[in-house]
Coordinates of all heavy atoms in Angstrom, one line a residue:
M191 N 0.8 -1.1 0.0 CA 0.0 0.0 0.0 C 0.9 1.2 0.0 O 1.8 1.3 0.7 CB -0.9 0.0 1.3 CG -2.0 -0.9 1.2 SD -3.1 -0.5 2.6 CE -4.5 -1.6 2.1
A192 N 0.4 2.2 -0.7 CA 1.1 3.5 -0.9 C 1.0 4.3 0.4 O 0.0 4.2 1.1 CB 0.8 4.3 -2.1
A193 N 1.9 5.2 0.7 CA 1.7 6.1 1.8 C 0.6 7.0 1.6 O 0.2 7.4 0.4 CB 3.0 6.9 2.0
L194 N -0.1 7.5 2.7 CA -1.3 8.4 2.5 C -0.8 9.8 2.4 O -0.4 10.4 3.4 CB -2.2 8.1 3.7 CG -3.6 8.6 3.5 CD1 -4.3 8.1 2.3 CD2 -4.5 8.3 4.8
A195 N -0.8 10.3 1.2 CA -0.4 11.7 1.0 C -1.1 12.2 -0.2 O -1.4 11.4 -1.2 CB 1.1 11.8 0.7
R196 N -1.6 13.4 -0.2 CA -2.3 14.0 -1.4 C -1.4 14.1 -2.6 O -0.3 14.8 -2.5 CB -2.9 15.4 -1.0 CG -3.9 15.3 0.1 CD -4.6 16.6 0.5 NE -3.5 17.5 1.0 CZ -3.2 18.7 0.5 NH1 -3.8 19.1 -0.5 NH2 -2.3 19.4 1.1
P197 N -1.7 13.5 -3.7 CA -0.8 13.5 -4.9 C -0.8 14.9 -5.5 O -1.7 15.7 -5.4 CB -1.4 12.5 -5.8 CG -2.8 12.5 -5.5 CD -2.9 12.7 -3.9
R198 N 0.3 15.2 -6.2 CA 0.5 16.5 -6.9 C -0.3 16.5 -8.2 O -0.6 17.6 -8.7 CB 2.0 16.8 -7.2 CG 2.7 16.9 -5.8 CD 4.2 17.2 -6.1 NE 4.5 18.5 -6.7 CZ 4.4 19.7 -6.1 NH1 4.1 19.7 -4.8 NH2 4.7 20.8 -6.8
D199 N -0.5 15.3 -8.8 CA -1.3 15.2 -10.1 C -2.5 14.4 -9.8 O -2.6 13.6 -8.9 CB -0.5 14.7 -11.2 CG 0.1 13.3 -10.8 OD1 0.2 13.0 -9.6 OD2 0.6 12.6 -11.7
G200 N -3.6 14.6 -10.6 CA -4.8 13.9 -10.5 C -5.7 14.4 -9.4 O -6.7 13.8 -9.1
R201 N -5.5 15.6 -8.9 CA -6.4 16.2 -8.0 C -7.5 16.8 -8.7 O -7.5 17.3 -9.8 CB -5.6 17.4 -7.2 CG -4.6 17.0 -6.3 CD -4.0 18.2 -5.6 NE -3.0 17.9 -4.7 CZ -2.4 18.8 -3.9 NH1 -2.8 20.0 -4.0 NH2 -1.6 18.4 -3.0
M202 N -8.7 16.9 -8.0 CA -9.8 17.7 -8.5 C -10.0 18.9 -7.6 O -9.9 20.0 -8.0 CB -11.1 16.9 -8.5 CG -11.0 15.9 -9.6 SD -12.4 15.5 -10.7 CE -13.1 16.9 -11.1
I203 N -10.2 18.7 -6.3 CA -10.3 19.8 -5.4 C -9.1 19.8 -4.4 O -8.3 20.6 -4.5 CB -11.7 19.8 -4.6 CG1 -12.8 19.9 -5.6 CG2 -11.7 20.8 -3.6 CD1 -14.2 19.7 -4.9
G204 N -9.1 18.9 -3.5 CA -8.0 18.9 -2.5 C -7.1 17.7 -2.6 O -6.0 17.6 -2.0
G205 N -7.5 16.6 -3.5 CA -6.6 15.5 -3.7 C -6.9 14.4 -2.6 O -6.2 13.4 -2.6
V206 N -7.9 14.6 -1.8 CA -8.2 13.6 -0.8 C -8.7 12.2 -1.4 O -8.2 11.2 -1.1 CB -9.3 14.1 0.2 CG1 -9.6 13.0 1.2 CG2 -8.7 15.3 1.0
C207 N -9.6 12.3 -2.4 CA -10.1 11.1 -3.0 C -9.0 10.4 -3.8 O -8.9 9.2 -3.8 CB -11.3 11.4 -3.8 SG -12.8 11.8 -3.0
A208 N -8.1 11.2 -4.4 CA -7.0 10.6 -5.2 C -6.0 9.9 -4.2 O -5.5 8.9 -4.6 CB -6.3 11.7 -5.9
A209 N -5.8 10.5 -3.1 CA -4.9 10.0 -2.1 C -5.5 8.6 -1.6 O -4.8 7.6 -1.4 CB -4.6 10.9 -0.9
L210 N -6.8 8.6 -1.2 CA -7.4 7.4 -0.7 C -7.5 6.3 -1.8 O -7.3 5.2 -1.5 CB -8.9 7.7 -0.3 CG -8.9 8.6 1.0 CD1 -10.3 9.0 1.3 CD2 -8.3 7.9 2.2
A211 N -7.7 6.7 -3.1 CA -7.7 5.8 -4.1 C -6.4 5.1 -4.3 O -6.3 3.9 -4.5 CB -8.2 6.5 -5.5
R212 N -5.3 5.9 -4.3 CA -3.9 5.4 -4.4 C -3.7 4.4 -3.3 O -3.0 3.4 -3.5 CB -2.9 6.6 -4.5 CG -1.6 6.1 -4.8 CD -0.6 7.2 -4.8 NE -0.8 8.0 -6.0 CZ -0.2 9.1 -6.3 NH1 0.8 9.6 -5.5 NH2 -0.4 9.8 -7.4
R213 N -4.1 4.8 -2.1 CA -3.8 4.0 -0.9 C -4.5 2.6 -1.0 O -3.9 1.6 -0.6 CB -4.3 4.8 0.3 CG -4.3 4.0 1.6 CD -2.9 3.8 2.1 NE -3.0 3.2 3.5 CZ -1.9 2.9 4.2 NH1 -0.7 3.3 3.8 NH2 -2.1 2.4 5.4
F214 N -5.7 2.6 -1.5 CA -6.5 1.3 -1.5 C -6.5 0.7 -2.9 O -7.2 -0.3 -3.0 CB -8.0 1.6 -1.1 CG -8.0 2.0 0.4 CD1 -8.4 3.3 0.7 CD2 -7.7 1.1 1.5 CE1 -8.5 3.7 2.1 CE2 -7.7 1.6 2.7 CZ -8.1 2.8 3.1
G215 N -5.7 1.2 -3.8 CA -5.5 0.5 -5.1 C -6.8 0.5 -6.0 O -7.0 -0.4 -6.7
T216 N -7.5 1.6 -6.0 CA -8.6 1.8 -6.9 C -8.4 3.0 -7.7 O -7.5 3.8 -7.5 CB -9.9 1.8 -6.1 OG1 -11.0 1.8 -7.0 CG2 -10.0 3.0 -5.1
S217 N -9.4 3.4 -8.6 CA -9.2 4.5 -9.4 C -9.8 5.8 -8.6 O -10.7 5.6 -7.7 CB -10.0 4.5 -10.7 OG -11.4 4.4 -10.5
A218 N -9.3 7.0 -9.0 CA -9.8 8.2 -8.2 C -11.2 8.4 -8.6 O -12.0 8.9 -7.7 CB -8.9 9.3 -8.6
G219 N -11.7 8.1 -9.8 CA -13.0 8.3 -10.1 C -14.0 7.4 -9.3 O -15.1 7.9 -8.9
T220 N -13.6 6.2 -9.1 CA -14.4 5.3 -8.2 C -14.5 5.9 -6.8 O -15.6 5.9 -6.2 CB -13.7 3.9 -8.2 OG1 -13.7 3.4 -9.5 CG2 -14.6 2.9 -7.3
M221 N -13.4 6.4 -6.3 CA -13.4 6.9 -4.9 C -14.3 8.1 -4.8 O -15.0 8.3 -3.9 CB -12.0 7.2 -4.5 CG -11.9 7.5 -3.0 SD -12.4 6.1 -2.0 CE -11.1 4.9 -2.3
R222 N -14.2 8.9 -5.9 CA -15.1 10.1 -5.9 C -16.6 9.8 -5.9 O -17.4 10.4 -5.2 CB -14.7 11.0 -7.1 CG -13.4 11.7 -7.0 CD -13.0 12.5 -8.2 NE -11.7 13.0 -8.0 CZ -10.7 12.7 -8.8 NH1 -10.9 11.9 -9.9 NH2 -9.5 13.2 -8.6
V223 N -16.9 8.8 -6.7 CA -18.3 8.3 -6.7 C -18.7 7.7 -5.4 O -19.8 8.0 -4.9 CB -18.5 7.2 -7.8 CG1 -19.9 6.5 -7.7 CG2 -18.4 7.9 -9.2
I224 N -17.9 7.0 -4.7 CA -18.2 6.5 -3.4 C -18.4 7.6 -2.4 O -19.3 7.6 -1.6 CB -17.0 5.5 -2.9 CG1 -17.0 4.2 -3.7 CG2 -17.2 5.2 -1.4 CD1 -15.8 3.4 -3.5
F225 N -17.6 8.6 -2.5 CA -17.7 9.8 -1.6 C -19.0 10.5 -1.9 O -19.7 10.9 -0.9 CB -16.6 10.7 -1.8 CG -16.8 12.0 -1.0 CD1 -16.7 12.0 0.4 CD2 -17.0 13.2 -1.6 CE1 -16.9 13.2 1.1 CE2 -17.3 14.4 -1.0 CZ -17.2 14.4 0.4
L226 N -19.4 10.7 -3.1 CA -20.6 11.4 -3.5 C -21.8 10.7 -3.0 O -22.8 11.2 -2.5 CB -20.7 11.7 -4.9 CG -19.7 12.8 -5.5 CD1 -19.8 12.9 -6.9 CD2 -20.1 14.1 -4.8
V227 N -21.8 9.4 -3.2 CA -22.9 8.5 -2.7 C -23.0 8.5 -1.2 O -24.0 8.6 -0.6 CB -22.8 7.0 -3.3 CG1 -23.8 6.1 -2.7 CG2 -23.0 7.0 -4.8
S228 N -21.9 8.5 -0.6 CA -21.9 8.5 0.9 C -22.4 9.8 1.4 O -22.9 9.8 2.6 CB -20.5 8.3 1.5 OG -19.7 9.4 1.4
C229 N -22.3 10.9 0.7 CA -22.9 12.2 1.1 C -24.4 12.1 1.2 O -25.0 13.0 1.9 CB -22.4 13.3 0.2 SG -20.7 13.7 0.5
L230 N -25.0 11.1 0.6 CA -26.4 11.0 0.6 C -26.9 10.4 1.9 O -28.1 10.5 2.3 CB -27.0 10.2 -0.5 CG -26.7 10.7 -1.9 CD1 -27.1 9.7 -3.0 CD2 -27.4 12.1 -2.1
L231 N -26.0 9.8 2.7 CA -26.3 9.2 4.0 C -26.0 10.1 5.0 O -25.2 11.1 4.9 CB -25.4 7.9 4.1 CG -25.5 6.8 3.0 CD1 -24.4 5.8 3.2 CD2 -26.9 6.2 3.1
P232 N -26.7 10.0 6.1 CA -26.4 10.9 7.3 C -25.1 10.7 7.9 O -24.6 9.5 7.9 CB -27.6 10.6 8.3 CG -28.1 9.3 7.9 CD -27.8 9.1 6.5
G233 N -24.4 11.7 8.2 CA -23.1 11.6 8.8 C -22.2 12.7 8.5 O -22.5 13.6 7.7
P234 N -21.0 12.7 9.0 CA -20.0 13.9 8.8 C -19.1 13.7 7.6 O -17.9 14.1 7.9 CB -19.3 13.9 10.2 CG -19.2 12.4 10.5 CD -20.5 11.9 10.1
Q235 N -19.5 13.2 6.5 CA -18.6 12.9 5.4 C -17.9 14.2 4.9 O -16.7 14.1 4.7 CB -19.3 12.2 4.3 CG -19.9 10.9 4.6 CD -21.3 10.9 5.2 OE1 -21.7 11.9 5.7 NE2 -21.9 9.8 5.2
F236 N -18.7 15.2 4.8 CA -18.0 16.5 4.3 C -17.0 17.0 5.2 O -15.9 17.4 4.9 CB -19.1 17.5 4.0 CG -18.5 18.7 3.3 CD1 -18.1 18.8 2.0 CD2 -18.4 19.9 4.1 CE1 -17.5 19.9 1.5 CE2 -17.9 21.1 3.6 CZ -17.4 21.1 2.2
L237 N -17.3 17.0 6.5 CA -16.4 17.4 7.6 C -15.1 16.5 7.6 O -14.0 17.0 7.8 CB -17.0 17.5 8.9 CG -18.2 18.4 9.1 CD1 -18.8 18.4 10.4 CD2 -17.7 19.9 8.8
L238 N -15.3 15.3 7.4 CA -14.2 14.3 7.3 C -13.3 14.6 6.1 O -12.0 14.6 6.2 CB -14.7 12.9 7.3 CG -13.6 11.8 7.2 CD1 -12.7 11.9 8.5 CD2 -14.3 10.4 7.1
Y239 N -13.9 14.9 5.0 CA -13.1 15.3 3.8 C -12.3 16.6 4.0 O -11.1 16.6 3.7 CB -14.1 15.6 2.6 CG -13.4 15.8 1.3 CD1 -13.0 14.8 0.4 CD2 -12.9 17.1 0.9 CE1 -12.3 15.0 -0.8 CE2 -12.3 17.4 -0.2 CZ -12.0 16.3 -1.0 OH -11.3 16.5 -2.2
V240 N -12.9 17.5 4.6 CA -12.2 18.8 4.9 C -11.1 18.5 5.9 O -9.9 19.1 5.8 CB -13.2 19.9 5.5 CG1 -12.4 21.1 5.9 CG2 -14.1 20.3 4.4
A241 N -11.3 17.7 6.9 CA -10.3 17.4 8.0 C -9.1 16.7 7.3 O -8.0 17.0 7.5 CB -10.8 16.6 9.1
L242 N -9.4 15.7 6.4 CA -8.4 15.0 5.7 C -7.6 15.9 4.8 O -6.4 15.9 4.6 CB -8.9 13.8 4.9 CG -9.3 12.6 5.8 CD1 -10.0 11.6 4.8 CD2 -8.2 12.0 6.5
W243 N -8.2 16.9 4.2 CA -7.6 17.9 3.3 C -6.6 18.7 4.1 O -5.5 19.0 3.6 CB -8.7 18.8 2.7 CG -8.2 19.7 1.6 CD1 -6.9 19.9 1.1 CD2 -9.1 20.6 0.8 NE1 -7.0 20.9 0.2 CE2 -8.2 21.3 0.0 CE3 -10.4 20.8 0.8 CZ2 -8.7 22.2 -0.9 CZ3 -10.9 21.7 0.0 CH2 -10.1 22.5 -0.9
L244 N -7.0 19.1 5.3 CA -6.1 19.9 6.1 C -5.0 19.0 6.7 O -3.8 19.5 6.9 CB -6.9 20.5 7.2 CG -7.9 21.6 6.8 CD1 -8.8 22.1 7.9 CD2 -7.2 22.8 6.1
L245 N -5.2 17.8 7.1 CA -4.3 17.0 7.8 C -3.4 16.1 7.0 O -2.2 15.9 7.4 CB -5.0 16.0 8.8 CG -5.8 16.7 9.9 CD1 -6.6 15.7 10.7 CD2 -4.9 17.5 10.8
L246 N -3.8 15.7 5.8 CA -2.9 14.9 5.0 C -1.8 15.8 4.4 O -2.1 16.8 3.8 CB -3.6 14.2 3.8 CG -4.5 13.1 4.2 CD1 -5.3 12.6 3.0 CD2 -3.8 12.0 4.8
P247 N -0.6 15.3 4.4 CA 0.5 16.1 3.7 C 0.5 16.0 2.3 O -0.1 15.0 1.7 CB 1.8 15.4 4.3 CG 1.3 14.0 4.6 CD -0.1 14.1 5.0
A248 N 0.9 17.0 1.6 CA 1.0 17.0 0.1 C 2.2 16.1 -0.2 O 3.2 16.1 0.5 CB 1.1 18.4 -0.4
E249 N 2.0 15.5 -1.3 CA 3.1 14.6 -1.9 C 4.4 15.5 -2.2 O 4.2 16.6 -2.7 CB 2.6 13.9 -3.1 CG 3.6 12.9 -3.7 CD 3.0 12.1 -4.8 OE1 2.7 12.8 -5.9 OE2 2.8 11.0 -4.7
K250 N 5.5 15.0 -1.8 CA 6.7 15.8 -2.1 C 7.0 15.7 -3.6 O 6.7 14.7 -4.3 CB 7.9 15.2 -1.3 CG 7.8 15.5 0.2 CD 9.0 15.0 0.8 CE 8.9 15.4 2.3 NZ 8.2 14.5 3.1
A251 N 7.6 16.7 -4.1 CA 7.9 16.7 -5.6 C 9.1 15.9 -5.8 O 10.1 15.8 -5.0 CB 8.3 18.2 -6.0
S252 N 9.0 15.1 -6.9 CA 10.2 14.2 -7.2 C 11.3 15.0 -7.8 O 11.1 16.2 -8.3 CB 9.8 13.1 -8.2 OG 9.4 13.6 -9.5
A253 N 12.5 14.5 -7.9 CA 13.7 15.2 -8.4 C 13.5 15.4 -9.9 O 13.9 16.4 -10.5 CB 14.9 14.3 -8.1
A254 N 12.8 14.5 -10.6 CA 12.6 14.6 -12.0 C 11.7 15.9 -12.3 O 11.9 16.4 -13.3 CB 12.0 13.4 -12.6
T255 N 10.8 16.1 -11.5 CA 9.8 17.2 -11.8 C 10.4 18.6 -11.4 O 10.0 19.6 -11.9 CB 8.5 17.0 -11.1 OG1 8.6 17.0 -9.7 CG2 7.8 15.8 -11.7
T256 N 11.3 18.6 -10.4 CA 11.9 19.9 -10.0 C 13.1 20.3 -10.8 O 13.5 21.5 -10.7 CB 12.2 19.8 -8.5 OG1 13.2 18.7 -8.2 CG2 11.0 19.6 -7.6
A257 N 13.8 19.4 -11.4 CA 15.0 19.7 -12.1 C 14.6 20.3 -13.5 O 13.8 19.7 -14.2 CB 15.9 18.5 -12.4
W258 N 15.2 21.4 -13.9 CA 15.0 21.9 -15.2 C 16.0 21.6 -16.1 O 17.0 21.9 -16.5 CB 14.7 23.4 -15.1 CG 13.4 23.7 -14.5 CD1 13.0 23.4 -13.3 CD2 12.3 24.4 -15.2 NE1 11.7 23.8 -13.1 CE2 11.3 24.4 -14.2 CE3 12.2 24.9 -16.4 CZ2 10.1 25.0 -14.5 CZ3 10.9 25.5 -16.7 CH2 9.9 25.6 -15.8

């Protein structure tokens, strides 16, 4: 399993769904659909998303992308 960090590419809003998808080995689109469907259920899903957005570190830039 990959480390839980918000990726630099493949983000839509905060990169939380992309990070969770990478962690659990699924596509980001699938994770986004799961999140949207879960928002129809009662619970703090939106607050959890915002908390993960604030708490998850951003993925570090690789040497290949930083070198010009």
